[in-house]
Structure formats: C-alpha cells, structure tokens
PDB file of all heavy atoms in Angstrom:
ATOM      1  N   GLY M 494       0.767  -1.241  -0.058  1.00 96.00           N
ATOM      2  CA  GLY M 494      -0.023  -0.010   0.001  1.00 96.00           C
ATOM      3  C   GLY M 494       0.803   1.254  -0.018  1.00 96.00           C
ATOM      4  O   GLY M 494       0.220   2.361   0.035  1.00 96.00           O
ATOM      5  N   LYS M 495       2.110   1.225  -0.105  1.00 97.00           N
ATOM      6  CA  LYS M 495       2.995   2.342  -0.098  1.00 97.00           C
ATOM      7  C   LYS M 495       3.786   2.424  -1.462  1.00 97.00           C
ATOM      8  O   LYS M 495       3.962   1.516  -2.050  1.00 97.00           O
ATOM      9  CB  LYS M 495       3.929   2.305   1.098  1.00 97.00           C
ATOM     10  CG  LYS M 495       3.195   2.385   2.390  1.00 97.00           C
ATOM     11  CD  LYS M 495       4.046   2.486   3.622  1.00 97.00           C
ATOM     12  CE  LYS M 495       3.367   2.657   4.935  1.00 97.00           C
ATOM     13  NZ  LYS M 495       4.257   2.830   6.095  1.00 97.00           N
ATOM     14  N   GLN M 496       4.335   3.600  -1.535  1.00 98.00           N
ATOM     15  CA  GLN M 496       5.182   3.804  -2.733  1.00 98.00           C
ATOM     16  C   GLN M 496       6.516   3.182  -2.549  1.00 98.00           C
ATOM     17  O   GLN M 496       7.097   3.084  -1.419  1.00 98.00           O
ATOM     18  CB  GLN M 496       5.371   5.353  -3.054  1.00 98.00           C
ATOM     19  CG  GLN M 496       4.153   5.896  -3.552  1.00 98.00           C
ATOM     20  CD  GLN M 496       4.311   7.373  -4.065  1.00 98.00           C
ATOM     21  OE1 GLN M 496       5.131   8.120  -3.578  1.00 98.00           O
ATOM     22  NE2 GLN M 496       3.641   7.823  -5.052  1.00 98.00           N
ATOM     23  N   ARG M 497       7.357   2.843  -3.589  1.00 98.00           N
ATOM     24  CA  ARG M 497       8.653   2.345  -3.538  1.00 98.00           C
ATOM     25  C   ARG M 497       9.479   3.523  -3.152  1.00 98.00           C
ATOM     26  O   ARG M 497       9.361   4.676  -3.582  1.00 98.00           O
ATOM     27  CB  ARG M 497       9.042   1.824  -4.859  1.00 98.00           C
ATOM     28  CG  ARG M 497      10.338   1.022  -4.730  1.00 98.00           C
ATOM     29  CD  ARG M 497      10.607   0.277  -6.160  1.00 98.00           C
ATOM     30  NE  ARG M 497       9.536  -0.597  -6.587  1.00 98.00           N
ATOM     31  CZ  ARG M 497       9.594  -1.441  -7.637  1.00 98.00           C
ATOM     32  NH1 ARG M 497      10.643  -1.436  -8.337  1.00 98.00           N
ATOM     33  NH2 ARG M 497       8.568  -2.253  -7.849  1.00 98.00           N
ATOM     34  N   GLU M 498      10.401   3.196  -2.201  1.00 98.00           N
ATOM     35  CA  GLU M 498      11.325   4.234  -1.778  1.00 98.00           C
ATOM     36  C   GLU M 498      12.739   3.765  -1.711  1.00 98.00           C
ATOM     37  O   GLU M 498      13.099   2.580  -1.525  1.00 98.00           O
ATOM     38  CB  GLU M 498      10.917   4.647  -0.264  1.00 98.00           C
ATOM     39  CG  GLU M 498      10.942   3.491   0.733  1.00 98.00           C
ATOM     40  CD  GLU M 498      10.604   3.905   2.149  1.00 98.00           C
ATOM     41  OE1 GLU M 498      10.212   5.054   2.368  1.00 98.00           O
ATOM     42  OE2 GLU M 498      10.792   3.059   3.088  1.00 98.00           O
ATOM     43  N   LEU M 499      13.646   4.749  -1.805  1.00 98.00           N
ATOM     44  CA  LEU M 499      15.155   4.458  -1.671  1.00 98.00           C
ATOM     45  C   LEU M 499      15.423   4.000  -0.216  1.00 98.00           C
ATOM     46  O   LEU M 499      14.924   4.689   0.712  1.00 98.00           O
ATOM     47  CB  LEU M 499      15.899   5.580  -2.109  1.00 98.00           C
ATOM     48  CG  LEU M 499      17.387   5.520  -1.914  1.00 98.00           C
ATOM     49  CD1 LEU M 499      18.067   4.499  -2.884  1.00 98.00           C
ATOM     50  CD2 LEU M 499      18.086   6.782  -2.003  1.00 98.00           C
ATOM     51  N   VAL M 500      16.202   2.973  -0.156  1.00 98.00           N
ATOM     52  CA  VAL M 500      16.785   2.541   1.165  1.00 98.00           C
ATOM     53  C   VAL M 500      18.336   3.078   1.167  1.00 98.00           C
ATOM     54  O   VAL M 500      18.745   3.722   2.080  1.00 98.00           O
ATOM     55  CB  VAL M 500      16.832   0.995   1.340  1.00 98.00           C
ATOM     56  CG1 VAL M 500      17.364   0.619   2.602  1.00 98.00           C
ATOM     57  CG2 VAL M 500      15.191   0.533   1.332  1.00 98.00           C
ATOM     58  N   ALA M 501      18.997   2.726   0.186  1.00 98.00           N
ATOM     59  CA  ALA M 501      20.462   3.083   0.037  1.00 98.00           C
ATOM     60  C   ALA M 501      20.989   2.788  -1.300  1.00 98.00           C
ATOM     61  O   ALA M 501      20.508   1.956  -2.018  1.00 98.00           O
ATOM     62  CB  ALA M 501      21.372   2.268   1.192  1.00 98.00           C
ATOM     63  N   ASN M 502      21.957   3.638  -1.696  1.00 98.00           N
ATOM     64  CA  ASN M 502      22.598   3.180  -2.904  1.00 98.00           C
ATOM     65  C   ASN M 502      24.226   3.607  -2.707  1.00 98.00           C
ATOM     66  O   ASN M 502      24.591   4.317  -1.804  1.00 98.00           O
ATOM     67  CB  ASN M 502      21.969   4.035  -4.143  1.00 98.00           C
ATOM     68  CG  ASN M 502      22.090   5.451  -4.005  1.00 98.00           C
ATOM     69  OD1 ASN M 502      22.953   6.117  -3.240  1.00 98.00           O
ATOM     70  ND2 ASN M 502      21.242   6.246  -4.805  1.00 98.00           N
ATOM     71  N   ILE M 503      24.871   3.088  -3.765  1.00 98.00           N
ATOM     72  CA  ILE M 503      26.302   3.215  -3.687  1.00 98.00           C
ATOM     73  C   ILE M 503      26.948   3.390  -5.098  1.00 98.00           C
ATOM     74  O   ILE M 503      26.462   2.730  -6.055  1.00 98.00           O
ATOM     75  CB  ILE M 503      26.998   1.951  -3.049  1.00 98.00           C
ATOM     76  CG1 ILE M 503      28.554   2.141  -2.921  1.00 98.00           C
ATOM     77  CG2 ILE M 503      26.626   0.648  -3.801  1.00 98.00           C
ATOM     78  CD1 ILE M 503      29.147   1.079  -1.999  1.00 98.00           C
ATOM     79  N   GLY M 504      27.717   4.521  -5.240  1.00 97.00           N
ATOM     80  CA  GLY M 504      28.180   4.761  -6.605  1.00 97.00           C
ATOM     81  C   GLY M 504      29.400   3.992  -6.971  1.00 97.00           C
ATOM     82  O   GLY M 504      29.896   3.187  -6.179  1.00 97.00           O
ATOM     83  N   SER M 505      29.794   4.282  -8.247  1.00 95.00           N
ATOM     84  CA  SER M 505      31.048   3.554  -8.648  1.00 95.00           C
ATOM     85  C   SER M 505      32.269   4.016  -7.900  1.00 95.00           C
ATOM     86  O   SER M 505      33.225   3.099  -7.870  1.00 95.00           O
ATOM     87  CB  SER M 505      31.191   3.853 -10.199  1.00 95.00           C
ATOM     88  OG  SER M 505      31.322   5.246 -10.311  1.00 95.00           O
ATOM     89  N   ASN M 506      32.278   5.099  -7.256  1.00 95.00           N
ATOM     90  CA  ASN M 506      33.313   5.431  -6.422  1.00 95.00           C
ATOM     91  C   ASN M 506      33.217   5.107  -5.070  1.00 95.00           C
ATOM     92  O   ASN M 506      34.043   5.441  -4.218  1.00 95.00           O
ATOM     93  CB  ASN M 506      33.523   7.037  -6.447  1.00 95.00           C
ATOM     94  CG  ASN M 506      32.217   7.712  -6.000  1.00 95.00           C
ATOM     95  OD1 ASN M 506      31.287   7.102  -5.563  1.00 95.00           O
ATOM     96  ND2 ASN M 506      32.237   9.102  -6.092  1.00 95.00           N
ATOM     97  N   GLY M 507      32.264   4.385  -4.678  1.00 95.00           N
ATOM     98  CA  GLY M 507      32.042   3.861  -3.341  1.00 95.00           C
ATOM     99  C   GLY M 507      31.193   4.720  -2.427  1.00 95.00           C
ATOM    100  O   GLY M 507      31.035   4.362  -1.312  1.00 95.00           O
ATOM    101  N   ARG M 508      30.864   5.844  -2.995  1.00 97.00           N
ATOM    102  CA  ARG M 508      30.119   6.852  -2.102  1.00 97.00           C
ATOM    103  C   ARG M 508      28.655   6.390  -1.861  1.00 97.00           C
ATOM    104  O   ARG M 508      27.943   5.858  -2.832  1.00 97.00           O
ATOM    105  CB  ARG M 508      30.069   8.193  -2.848  1.00 97.00           C
ATOM    106  CG  ARG M 508      29.405   9.300  -2.017  1.00 97.00           C
ATOM    107  CD  ARG M 508      29.529  10.657  -2.708  1.00 97.00           C
ATOM    108  NE  ARG M 508      29.076  11.763  -1.828  1.00 97.00           N
ATOM    109  CZ  ARG M 508      29.261  13.021  -2.156  1.00 97.00           C
ATOM    110  NH1 ARG M 508      29.818  13.326  -3.149  1.00 97.00           N
ATOM    111  NH2 ARG M 508      28.743  13.995  -1.303  1.00 97.00           N
ATOM    112  N   THR M 509      28.203   6.402  -0.721  1.00 98.00           N
ATOM    113  CA  THR M 509      26.976   5.782  -0.294  1.00 98.00           C
ATOM    114  C   THR M 509      26.006   6.915   0.190  1.00 98.00           C
ATOM    115  O   THR M 509      26.374   8.089   0.559  1.00 98.00           O
ATOM    116  CB  THR M 509      27.101   4.857   0.928  1.00 98.00           C
ATOM    117  OG1 THR M 509      27.810   5.571   2.090  1.00 98.00           O
ATOM    118  CG2 THR M 509      28.036   3.666   0.604  1.00 98.00           C
ATOM    119  N   ASN M 510      24.800   6.544  -0.021  1.00 98.00           N
ATOM    120  CA  ASN M 510      23.618   7.459   0.374  1.00 98.00           C
ATOM    121  C   ASN M 510      22.529   6.620   1.002  1.00 98.00           C
ATOM    122  O   ASN M 510      22.184   5.542   0.395  1.00 98.00           O
ATOM    123  CB  ASN M 510      23.113   8.068  -0.899  1.00 98.00           C
ATOM    124  CG  ASN M 510      21.854   9.050  -0.627  1.00 98.00           C
ATOM    125  OD1 ASN M 510      21.873   9.784   0.254  1.00 98.00           O
ATOM    126  ND2 ASN M 510      20.800   8.803  -1.474  1.00 98.00           N
ATOM    127  N   TYR M 511      22.127   7.061   2.181  1.00 98.00           N
ATOM    128  CA  TYR M 511      21.069   6.330   2.889  1.00 98.00           C
ATOM    129  C   TYR M 511      19.805   7.072   3.158  1.00 98.00           C
ATOM    130  O   TYR M 511      19.848   8.274   3.487  1.00 98.00           O
ATOM    131  CB  TYR M 511      21.629   5.850   4.280  1.00 98.00           C
ATOM    132  CG  TYR M 511      22.728   4.885   4.137  1.00 98.00           C
ATOM    133  CD1 TYR M 511      24.063   5.261   4.183  1.00 98.00           C
ATOM    134  CD2 TYR M 511      22.464   3.465   4.229  1.00 98.00           C
ATOM    135  CE1 TYR M 511      25.131   4.331   4.093  1.00 98.00           C
ATOM    136  CE2 TYR M 511      23.520   2.474   4.107  1.00 98.00           C
ATOM    137  CZ  TYR M 511      24.825   2.979   4.058  1.00 98.00           C
ATOM    138  OH  TYR M 511      25.854   2.051   4.030  1.00 98.00           O
ATOM    139  N   ALA M 512      18.700   6.456   3.058  1.00 98.00           N
ATOM    140  CA  ALA M 512      17.447   7.134   3.555  1.00 98.00           C
ATOM    141  C   ALA M 512      17.606   7.216   5.160  1.00 98.00           C
ATOM    142  O   ALA M 512      18.278   6.437   5.912  1.00 98.00           O
ATOM    143  CB  ALA M 512      16.194   6.085   3.386  1.00 98.00           C
ATOM    144  N   ASP M 513      16.883   8.184   5.758  1.00 98.00           N
ATOM    145  CA  ASP M 513      16.972   8.494   7.149  1.00 98.00           C
ATOM    146  C   ASP M 513      16.650   7.162   7.972  1.00 98.00           C
ATOM    147  O   ASP M 513      17.281   6.928   8.956  1.00 98.00           O
ATOM    148  CB  ASP M 513      16.078   9.632   7.555  1.00 98.00           C
ATOM    149  CG  ASP M 513      16.674  10.882   7.109  1.00 98.00           C
ATOM    150  OD1 ASP M 513      17.819  11.010   6.705  1.00 98.00           O
ATOM    151  OD2 ASP M 513      15.799  11.979   7.016  1.00 98.00           O
ATOM    152  N   SER M 514      15.755   6.394   7.440  1.00 97.00           N
ATOM    153  CA  SER M 514      15.232   5.297   8.167  1.00 97.00           C
ATOM    154  C   SER M 514      16.230   4.096   8.229  1.00 97.00           C
ATOM    155  O   SER M 514      16.204   3.253   9.046  1.00 97.00           O
ATOM    156  CB  SER M 514      13.930   4.642   7.596  1.00 97.00           C
ATOM    157  OG  SER M 514      14.201   4.372   6.168  1.00 97.00           O
ATOM    158  N   ALA M 515      17.158   4.216   7.292  1.00 98.00           N
ATOM    159  CA  ALA M 515      18.305   3.171   7.217  1.00 98.00           C
ATOM    160  C   ALA M 515      19.611   3.545   7.889  1.00 98.00           C
ATOM    161  O   ALA M 515      20.339   2.715   8.201  1.00 98.00           O
ATOM    162  CB  ALA M 515      18.555   2.865   5.769  1.00 98.00           C
ATOM    163  N   LYS M 516      19.775   4.843   8.136  1.00 98.00           N
ATOM    164  CA  LYS M 516      21.037   5.297   8.803  1.00 98.00           C
ATOM    165  C   LYS M 516      21.255   4.717  10.159  1.00 98.00           C
ATOM    166  O   LYS M 516      20.406   4.743  10.944  1.00 98.00           O
ATOM    167  CB  LYS M 516      21.034   6.839   8.837  1.00 98.00           C
ATOM    168  CG  LYS M 516      21.160   7.499   7.540  1.00 98.00           C
ATOM    169  CD  LYS M 516      20.975   9.049   7.652  1.00 98.00           C
ATOM    170  CE  LYS M 516      21.168   9.777   6.326  1.00 98.00           C
ATOM    171  NZ  LYS M 516      20.980  11.137   6.376  1.00 98.00           N
ATOM    172  N   GLY M 517      22.497   4.157  10.282  1.00 97.00           N
ATOM    173  CA  GLY M 517      22.821   3.611  11.504  1.00 97.00           C
ATOM    174  C   GLY M 517      22.535   2.215  11.757  1.00 97.00           C
ATOM    175  O   GLY M 517      22.822   1.494  12.673  1.00 97.00           O
ATOM    176  N   ARG M 518      21.552   1.597  10.815  1.00 98.00           N
ATOM    177  CA  ARG M 518      21.029   0.214  11.038  1.00 98.00           C
ATOM    178  C   ARG M 518      21.530  -0.510   9.814  1.00 98.00           C
ATOM    179  O   ARG M 518      21.812  -1.748   9.851  1.00 98.00           O
ATOM    180  CB  ARG M 518      19.539   0.189  11.178  1.00 98.00           C
ATOM    181  CG  ARG M 518      19.030   0.847  12.323  1.00 98.00           C
ATOM    182  CD  ARG M 518      17.541   0.573  12.565  1.00 98.00           C
ATOM    183  NE  ARG M 518      16.773   1.025  11.369  1.00 98.00           N
ATOM    184  CZ  ARG M 518      15.865   0.348  10.854  1.00 98.00           C
ATOM    185  NH1 ARG M 518      15.655  -0.920  11.227  1.00 98.00           N
ATOM    186  NH2 ARG M 518      15.177   0.708   9.791  1.00 98.00           N
ATOM    187  N   PHE M 519      21.416   0.061   8.703  1.00 98.00           N
ATOM    188  CA  PHE M 519      21.770  -0.761   7.340  1.00 98.00           C
ATOM    189  C   PHE M 519      23.146  -0.293   6.725  1.00 98.00           C
ATOM    190  O   PHE M 519      23.442   0.897   6.922  1.00 98.00           O
ATOM    191  CB  PHE M 519      20.658  -0.402   6.363  1.00 98.00           C
ATOM    192  CG  PHE M 519      19.317  -0.888   6.635  1.00 98.00           C
ATOM    193  CD1 PHE M 519      19.073  -1.581   7.865  1.00 98.00           C
ATOM    194  CD2 PHE M 519      18.234  -0.702   5.757  1.00 98.00           C
ATOM    195  CE1 PHE M 519      17.726  -2.030   8.209  1.00 98.00           C
ATOM    196  CE2 PHE M 519      16.844  -1.114   6.093  1.00 98.00           C
ATOM    197  CZ  PHE M 519      16.760  -1.779   7.357  1.00 98.00           C
ATOM    198  N   THR M 520      23.694  -1.185   6.096  1.00 98.00           N
ATOM    199  CA  THR M 520      25.027  -0.830   5.389  1.00 98.00           C
ATOM    200  C   THR M 520      25.077  -1.510   3.998  1.00 98.00           C
ATOM    201  O   THR M 520      24.755  -2.647   3.867  1.00 98.00           O
ATOM    202  CB  THR M 520      26.128  -1.535   6.153  1.00 98.00           C
ATOM    203  OG1 THR M 520      26.144  -0.935   7.535  1.00 98.00           O
ATOM    204  CG2 THR M 520      27.562  -1.099   5.473  1.00 98.00           C
ATOM    205  N   ILE M 521      25.209  -0.646   3.040  1.00 98.00           N
ATOM    206  CA  ILE M 521      25.378  -1.028   1.740  1.00 98.00           C
ATOM    207  C   ILE M 521      26.764  -1.198   1.257  1.00 98.00           C
ATOM    208  O   ILE M 521      27.633  -0.296   1.754  1.00 98.00           O
ATOM    209  CB  ILE M 521      24.554  -0.105   0.701  1.00 98.00           C
ATOM    210  CG1 ILE M 521      24.466  -0.664  -0.675  1.00 98.00           C
ATOM    211  CG2 ILE M 521      25.215   1.350   0.739  1.00 98.00           C
ATOM    212  CD1 ILE M 521      23.438   0.070  -1.601  1.00 98.00           C
ATOM    213  N   SER M 522      27.061  -2.234   0.581  1.00 98.00           N
ATOM    214  CA  SER M 522      28.461  -2.419   0.067  1.00 98.00           C
ATOM    215  C   SER M 522      28.426  -3.104  -1.255  1.00 98.00           C
ATOM    216  O   SER M 522      27.329  -3.620  -1.737  1.00 98.00           O
ATOM    217  CB  SER M 522      29.193  -3.239   1.097  1.00 98.00           C
ATOM    218  OG  SER M 522      28.627  -4.405   1.202  1.00 98.00           O
ATOM    219  N   ARG M 523      29.471  -3.120  -1.933  1.00 97.00           N
ATOM    220  CA  ARG M 523      29.576  -3.774  -3.208  1.00 97.00           C
ATOM    221  C   ARG M 523      30.950  -4.430  -3.474  1.00 97.00           C
ATOM    222  O   ARG M 523      31.962  -4.043  -2.828  1.00 97.00           O
ATOM    223  CB  ARG M 523      29.497  -2.618  -4.361  1.00 97.00           C
ATOM    224  CG  ARG M 523      30.544  -1.638  -4.404  1.00 97.00           C
ATOM    225  CD  ARG M 523      30.168  -0.414  -5.472  1.00 97.00           C
ATOM    226  NE  ARG M 523      30.054  -0.934  -6.799  1.00 97.00           N
ATOM    227  CZ  ARG M 523      29.423  -0.247  -7.727  1.00 97.00           C
ATOM    228  NH1 ARG M 523      28.741   0.928  -7.487  1.00 97.00           N
ATOM    229  NH2 ARG M 523      29.380  -0.809  -8.995  1.00 97.00           N
ATOM    230  N   ASP M 524      30.815  -5.550  -4.260  1.00 96.00           N
ATOM    231  CA  ASP M 524      32.093  -6.288  -4.497  1.00 96.00           C
ATOM    232  C   ASP M 524      32.128  -6.327  -6.100  1.00 96.00           C
ATOM    233  O   ASP M 524      31.387  -7.147  -6.704  1.00 96.00           O
ATOM    234  CB  ASP M 524      32.010  -7.728  -3.904  1.00 96.00           C
ATOM    235  CG  ASP M 524      33.280  -8.482  -4.094  1.00 96.00           C
ATOM    236  OD1 ASP M 524      33.994  -8.108  -5.116  1.00 96.00           O
ATOM    237  OD2 ASP M 524      33.439  -9.499  -3.421  1.00 96.00           O
ATOM    238  N   ASN M 525      32.924  -5.481  -6.722  1.00 95.00           N
ATOM    239  CA  ASN M 525      32.851  -5.314  -8.140  1.00 95.00           C
ATOM    240  C   ASN M 525      33.448  -6.617  -8.720  1.00 95.00           C
ATOM    241  O   ASN M 525      33.028  -6.943  -9.883  1.00 95.00           O
ATOM    242  CB  ASN M 525      33.736  -4.251  -8.540  1.00 95.00           C
ATOM    243  CG  ASN M 525      33.151  -2.869  -8.196  1.00 95.00           C
ATOM    244  OD1 ASN M 525      31.812  -2.797  -8.044  1.00 95.00           O
ATOM    245  ND2 ASN M 525      33.898  -1.822  -8.048  1.00 95.00           N
ATOM    246  N   ALA M 526      34.329  -7.450  -8.047  1.00 95.00           N
ATOM    247  CA  ALA M 526      34.806  -8.677  -8.614  1.00 95.00           C
ATOM    248  C   ALA M 526      33.775  -9.702  -8.734  1.00 95.00           C
ATOM    249  O   ALA M 526      33.868 -10.604  -9.608  1.00 95.00           O
ATOM    250  CB  ALA M 526      35.879  -9.121  -7.767  1.00 95.00           C
ATOM    251  N   LYS M 527      32.665  -9.583  -7.948  1.00 96.00           N
ATOM    252  CA  LYS M 527      31.604 -10.517  -7.982  1.00 96.00           C
ATOM    253  C   LYS M 527      30.354  -9.919  -8.509  1.00 96.00           C
ATOM    254  O   LYS M 527      29.259 -10.640  -8.489  1.00 96.00           O
ATOM    255  CB  LYS M 527      31.342 -10.936  -6.470  1.00 96.00           C
ATOM    256  CG  LYS M 527      32.450 -11.829  -5.901  1.00 96.00           C
ATOM    257  CD  LYS M 527      32.065 -12.252  -4.534  1.00 96.00           C
ATOM    258  CE  LYS M 527      33.220 -13.107  -3.887  1.00 96.00           C
ATOM    259  NZ  LYS M 527      32.991 -13.537  -2.521  1.00 96.00           N
ATOM    260  N   ASN M 528      30.437  -8.722  -9.072  1.00 96.00           N
ATOM    261  CA  ASN M 528      29.233  -8.030  -9.654  1.00 96.00           C
ATOM    262  C   ASN M 528      28.116  -8.038  -8.701  1.00 96.00           C
ATOM    263  O   ASN M 528      26.888  -8.288  -9.048  1.00 96.00           O
ATOM    264  CB  ASN M 528      28.810  -8.747 -11.002  1.00 96.00           C
ATOM    265  CG  ASN M 528      29.709  -8.345 -12.087  1.00 96.00           C
ATOM    266  OD1 ASN M 528      30.688  -7.723 -11.909  1.00 96.00           O
ATOM    267  ND2 ASN M 528      29.320  -8.632 -13.283  1.00 96.00           N
ATOM    268  N   THR M 529      28.393  -7.822  -7.371  1.00 97.00           N
ATOM    269  CA  THR M 529      27.362  -7.985  -6.326  1.00 97.00           C
ATOM    270  C   THR M 529      27.254  -6.768  -5.405  1.00 97.00           C
ATOM    271  O   THR M 529      28.393  -6.222  -5.118  1.00 97.00           O
ATOM    272  CB  THR M 529      27.655  -9.250  -5.543  1.00 97.00           C
ATOM    273  OG1 THR M 529      27.677 -10.350  -6.393  1.00 97.00           O
ATOM    274  CG2 THR M 529      26.672  -9.390  -4.467  1.00 97.00           C
ATOM    275  N   VAL M 530      26.050  -6.439  -5.083  1.00 97.00           N
ATOM    276  CA  VAL M 530      25.812  -5.325  -4.065  1.00 97.00           C
ATOM    277  C   VAL M 530      25.134  -5.966  -2.870  1.00 97.00           C
ATOM    278  O   VAL M 530      24.214  -6.925  -3.243  1.00 97.00           O
ATOM    279  CB  VAL M 530      25.023  -4.176  -4.638  1.00 97.00           C
ATOM    280  CG1 VAL M 530      23.631  -4.680  -5.244  1.00 97.00           C
ATOM    281  CG2 VAL M 530      24.922  -3.122  -3.597  1.00 97.00           C
ATOM    282  N   TYR M 531      25.411  -5.626  -1.629  1.00 98.00           N
ATOM    283  CA  TYR M 531      24.809  -6.189  -0.547  1.00 98.00           C
ATOM    284  C   TYR M 531      24.107  -5.243   0.284  1.00 98.00           C
ATOM    285  O   TYR M 531      24.467  -3.986   0.217  1.00 98.00           O
ATOM    286  CB  TYR M 531      26.012  -6.735   0.447  1.00 98.00           C
ATOM    287  CG  TYR M 531      26.895  -7.831  -0.356  1.00 98.00           C
ATOM    288  CD1 TYR M 531      28.086  -7.478  -0.832  1.00 98.00           C
ATOM    289  CD2 TYR M 531      26.424  -9.130  -0.388  1.00 98.00           C
ATOM    290  CE1 TYR M 531      28.860  -8.413  -1.463  1.00 98.00           C
ATOM    291  CE2 TYR M 531      27.219  -9.987  -1.043  1.00 98.00           C
ATOM    292  CZ  TYR M 531      28.455  -9.789  -1.538  1.00 98.00           C
ATOM    293  OH  TYR M 531      29.253 -10.638  -2.224  1.00 98.00           O
ATOM    294  N   LEU M 532      23.211  -5.522   1.059  1.00 98.00           N
ATOM    295  CA  LEU M 532      22.573  -4.702   2.088  1.00 98.00           C
ATOM    296  C   LEU M 532      22.559  -5.501   3.428  1.00 98.00           C
ATOM    297  O   LEU M 532      21.731  -6.473   3.613  1.00 98.00           O
ATOM    298  CB  LEU M 532      21.200  -4.309   1.614  1.00 98.00           C
ATOM    299  CG  LEU M 532      20.444  -3.204   2.494  1.00 98.00           C
ATOM    300  CD1 LEU M 532      21.256  -1.917   2.494  1.00 98.00           C
ATOM    301  CD2 LEU M 532      19.027  -3.082   2.146  1.00 98.00           C
ATOM    302  N   GLN M 533      23.311  -5.005   4.304  1.00 98.00           N
ATOM    303  CA  GLN M 533      23.405  -5.699   5.580  1.00 98.00           C
ATOM    304  C   GLN M 533      22.260  -4.819   6.501  1.00 98.00           C
ATOM    305  O   GLN M 533      22.441  -3.531   6.566  1.00 98.00           O
ATOM    306  CB  GLN M 533      24.638  -5.496   6.312  1.00 98.00           C
ATOM    307  CG  GLN M 533      24.773  -5.993   7.748  1.00 98.00           C
ATOM    308  CD  GLN M 533      24.498  -7.558   7.845  1.00 98.00           C
ATOM    309  OE1 GLN M 533      25.056  -8.387   7.147  1.00 98.00           O
ATOM    310  NE2 GLN M 533      23.577  -7.902   8.839  1.00 98.00           N
ATOM    311  N   MET M 534      21.313  -5.526   6.956  1.00 98.00           N
ATOM    312  CA  MET M 534      20.283  -4.874   7.849  1.00 98.00           C
ATOM    313  C   MET M 534      20.215  -5.357   9.180  1.00 98.00           C
ATOM    314  O   MET M 534      20.116  -6.576   9.433  1.00 98.00           O
ATOM    315  CB  MET M 534      18.977  -5.109   7.158  1.00 98.00           C
ATOM    316  CG  MET M 534      18.874  -4.699   5.674  1.00 98.00           C
ATOM    317  SD  MET M 534      17.152  -4.863   5.015  1.00 98.00           S
ATOM    318  CE  MET M 534      17.008  -6.702   4.995  1.00 98.00           C
ATOM    319  N   ASN M 535      20.443  -4.466  10.140  1.00 98.00           N
ATOM    320  CA  ASN M 535      20.553  -4.831  11.561  1.00 98.00           C
ATOM    321  C   ASN M 535      19.265  -4.078  12.287  1.00 98.00           C
ATOM    322  O   ASN M 535      18.864  -3.151  11.695  1.00 98.00           O
ATOM    323  CB  ASN M 535      21.800  -4.465  12.199  1.00 98.00           C
ATOM    324  CG  ASN M 535      22.975  -5.218  11.545  1.00 98.00           C
ATOM    325  OD1 ASN M 535      22.917  -6.360  11.117  1.00 98.00           O
ATOM    326  ND2 ASN M 535      24.116  -4.483  11.430  1.00 98.00           N
ATOM    327  N   SER M 536      19.049  -4.499  13.479  1.00 98.00           N
ATOM    328  CA  SER M 536      18.047  -4.048  14.267  1.00 98.00           C
ATOM    329  C   SER M 536      16.744  -3.761  13.503  1.00 98.00           C
ATOM    330  O   SER M 536      16.131  -2.766  13.555  1.00 98.00           O
ATOM    331  CB  SER M 536      18.563  -2.563  14.757  1.00 98.00           C
ATOM    332  OG  SER M 536      19.675  -2.797  15.600  1.00 98.00           O
ATOM    333  N   LEU M 537      16.278  -4.812  12.856  1.00 98.00           N
ATOM    334  CA  LEU M 537      15.194  -4.830  12.039  1.00 98.00           C
ATOM    335  C   LEU M 537      13.914  -4.572  12.905  1.00 98.00           C
ATOM    336  O   LEU M 537      13.791  -5.138  13.994  1.00 98.00           O
ATOM    337  CB  LEU M 537      14.956  -6.074  11.162  1.00 98.00           C
ATOM    338  CG  LEU M 537      15.964  -6.120  10.041  1.00 98.00           C
ATOM    339  CD1 LEU M 537      16.136  -7.544   9.481  1.00 98.00           C
ATOM    340  CD2 LEU M 537      15.500  -5.152   8.919  1.00 98.00           C
ATOM    341  N   ASN M 538      12.887  -3.825  12.332  1.00 97.00           N
ATOM    342  CA  ASN M 538      11.570  -3.663  13.105  1.00 97.00           C
ATOM    343  C   ASN M 538      10.505  -3.922  12.081  1.00 97.00           C
ATOM    344  O   ASN M 538      10.810  -4.049  10.857  1.00 97.00           O
ATOM    345  CB  ASN M 538      11.489  -2.311  13.739  1.00 97.00           C
ATOM    346  CG  ASN M 538      11.728  -1.116  12.711  1.00 97.00           C
ATOM    347  OD1 ASN M 538      11.093  -1.031  11.719  1.00 97.00           O
ATOM    348  ND2 ASN M 538      12.812  -0.289  12.973  1.00 97.00           N
TER     349      ASN M 538
END
C-alpha cells in the first residue's frame, strides 16, 4: 500500500547514500569482482 522508496545506494566511487530510516542500521556495500551489491540490515523492526 505504499510507494517504492530508496533505502540506500552506492556509486562507482564507493560513495553511499542512505534514507534516514536506514542510517545507523543498514549498510550497503559492493564487490565489483563478484558483480554484487549487498545490504546488511540490523536492528530490524
């Protein structure tokens, strides 16, 4: 019932951007060798 929203993104230079709701709890990372991006989510509610 809600709109899609940004959680976090990461640029090619490794710069990250987080939604306020994700700051301090979620961590985005990337492994270019594996063509993979991760989202570690802690303290989920």
